[in-house]
């Protein structure tokens, strides 16, 4: 439990999560899309660091394995081979996924889109692998969020050190990758997953701040800024839910 945030969000004391918890919002909606026979791809699965979470409920809702027929973990990092929360693991080159055409019912990415360099190639691969009627889901910082703005001001080589300080030691250096922010706006999602091929159901949220240097005052300030800026430029986190039209034949 984060005692710093509990001072701002007292409901954390009842179950370990805030009312604005981004993980529960994202994975809760993914869970609502699942059917027992589905094949789900966790793109950017890594070593499964999200399951190091101290909140039992968040771990439970983020666990897709066992709820569907098969969960496939993909990542450019060989750490994915250690991931125990998927049924099948593959390291790939970040270009073409080692999967057959139209084989997945759901593809989801958690904190991955900000690291995509070639958005065209990425979107083409999502379209190729996803079945008609399938869902592409992603959680990523909005390009207009405070963390994305700060990230663009800090060279990629310094991100690991900066995040370790900002998140008070909770972020490991091996979990930090270069950020490019090519797919982090509604406009970019609309261009790469366009209608009528895709139905865009994306939206933004402003979850409890996780970047606060371990300082209660900083956490309060971050929460206040999020509250003030959301009506003007949207939430801090972009949640992408793009539905591939069912009647369209696979490429």
């Amino acid at each position: 439990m984060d005692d710093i945030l509990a001072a701002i969000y007292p409901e954390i004391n009842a179950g370990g999560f805030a009312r604005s918890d981004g993980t529960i919002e994202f994975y809760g909606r993914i869970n609502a899309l699942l059917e027992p026979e589905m094949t789900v791809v966790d793109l950017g699965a890594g070593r499964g660091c999200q399951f190091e979470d101290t909140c039992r409920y968040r771990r439970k809702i983020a666990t897709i394995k066992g709820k569907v027929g098969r969960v496939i973990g993909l990542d450019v990092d060989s750490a994915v081979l250690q991931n125990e929360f998927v049924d099948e693991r593959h390291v790939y080159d970040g270009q073409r996924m080692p999967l057959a055409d139209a084989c997945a019912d759901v593809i989801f990415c958690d904190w991955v889109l900000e690291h995509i360099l070639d958005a065209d190639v990425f979107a083409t691969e999502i379209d190729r692998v996803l079945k008609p009627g399938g869902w592409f889901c992603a959680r990523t910082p909005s390009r207009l969020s405070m963390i994305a703005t700060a990230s663009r001001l800090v060279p990629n080589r310094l991100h690991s050190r900066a995040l370790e300080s900002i998140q008070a030691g909770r972020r490991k250096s091996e979990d930090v990758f270069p950020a490019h922010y090519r797919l982090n706006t509604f406009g970019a999602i609309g261009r790469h997953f366009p209608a009528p091929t895709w139905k865009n159901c994306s939206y933004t949220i402003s979850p409890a701040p996780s970047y606060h240097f371990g300082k209660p005052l900083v956490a309060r300030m971050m929460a206040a800024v999020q509250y003030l800026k959301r009506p003007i430029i949207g939430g801090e986190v972009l949640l992408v839910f793009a539905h591939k039209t069912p009647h369209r034949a696979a490429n």
Side-chain angles (χ1 to χ4, degrees), residues 142-145 147-155 159 179-181 184:
S142 165
R143 186 172 175 82
L144 298 177
S145 67
I147 189 61
T149 300
S151 176
R152 292 195 296 275
L153 297 175
V154 177
H159 281 185
H180 306 287
Y181 295 98
N184 296 75

Side-chain angles (χ1 to χ4, degrees), residues 53-216:
D53 195 329
T54 57
C55 176
R56 178 179 57 84
Y57 184 68
R58 273 198 301 261
R59 293 197 308 271
K60 180 179 179 180
I61 204 166
T63 301
I64 307 301
K65 182 180 177 181
K67 298 174 181 174
V68 296
R70 181 172 56 146
V71 179
I72 303 171
L74 297 182
D75 207 299
V76 296
D77 191 334
S78 61
V80 72
L81 301 177
Q82 305 166 23
N83 192 321
E84 299 178 356
F85 302 95
V86 296
D87 299 299
E88 183 179 318
R89 306 154 192 82
H90 298 282
V91 179
Y92 84 120
D93 61 5
Q95 298 290 310
R96 186 175 177 85
M97 299 183 214
L99 300 173
D101 295 356
C103 68
D105 298 283
V106 174
I107 300 175
F108 74 91
C109 304
D110 198 5
W111 307 122
V112 171
L113 294 193
E114 63 271 26
H115 305 296
I116 300 301
L117 183 59
D118 193 329
D120 290 332
V121 169
F122 179 84
T124 297
E125 276 297 279
I126 295 293
D127 188 31
R128 180 185 69 80
V129 173
L130 197 63
K131 296 177 183 177
W135 285 88
F136 171 57
C137 313
R139 174 169 60 161
T140 189
S142 165
R143 186 172 175 82
L144 298 177
S145 67
M146 288 183 282
I147 189 61
T149 300
S151 176
R152 292 195 296 275
L153 297 175
V154 177
N156 272 313
R157 68 179 185 278
L158 300 179
H159 281 185
S160 178
R161 186 185 308 170
L163 285 172
E164 183 177 359
S165 174
I166 293 169
Q167 289 197 314
R170 291 180 300 162
R171 188 74 169 270
K172 296 182 179 181
S173 60
E174 60 264 36
D175 298 325
V176 180
F177 300 91
H180 306 287
Y181 295 98
R182 303 285 172 83
L183 278 169
N184 296 75
T185 64
F186 288 121
I189 296 299
R191 287 192 301 274
H192 290 93
F193 301 93
T197 302
W198 299 87
K199 182 177 182 180
N200 193 337
C201 307
S202 305
Y203 59 103
T204 63
I205 62 170
S206 288
S210 58
Y211 301 99
H212 46 62
F213 297 91
K215 308 288 186 183

Side-chain angles (χ1 to χ4, degrees), residues 234-247:
E236 297 295 290
V237 176
L238 174 62
L239 298 184
V240 177
F241 291 94
H243 187 214
K244 187 174 178 180
T245 48
H247 61 271

Side-chain angles (χ1 to χ4, degrees), residues 16-70:
F17 58 93
R19 74 197 80 169
S20 55
D21 192 285
T23 296
I24 291 173
E25 178 72 19
F26 179 56
Y27 283 99
R29 198 165 293 276
I30 290 176
N31 274 259
L33 300 173
L34 300 180
E35 299 291 346
E37 72 281 359
M38 283 182 168
T39 294
V40 175
V41 175
D42 182 350
L43 182 54
R47 59 188 173 82
C49 60
Q50 68 269 35
F51 297 102
E52 296 170 357
D53 195 329
T54 57
C55 176
R56 178 179 57 84
Y57 184 68
R58 273 198 301 261
R59 293 197 308 271
K60 180 179 179 180
I61 204 166
T63 301
I64 307 301
K65 182 180 177 181
K67 298 174 181 174
V68 296
R70 181 172 56 146

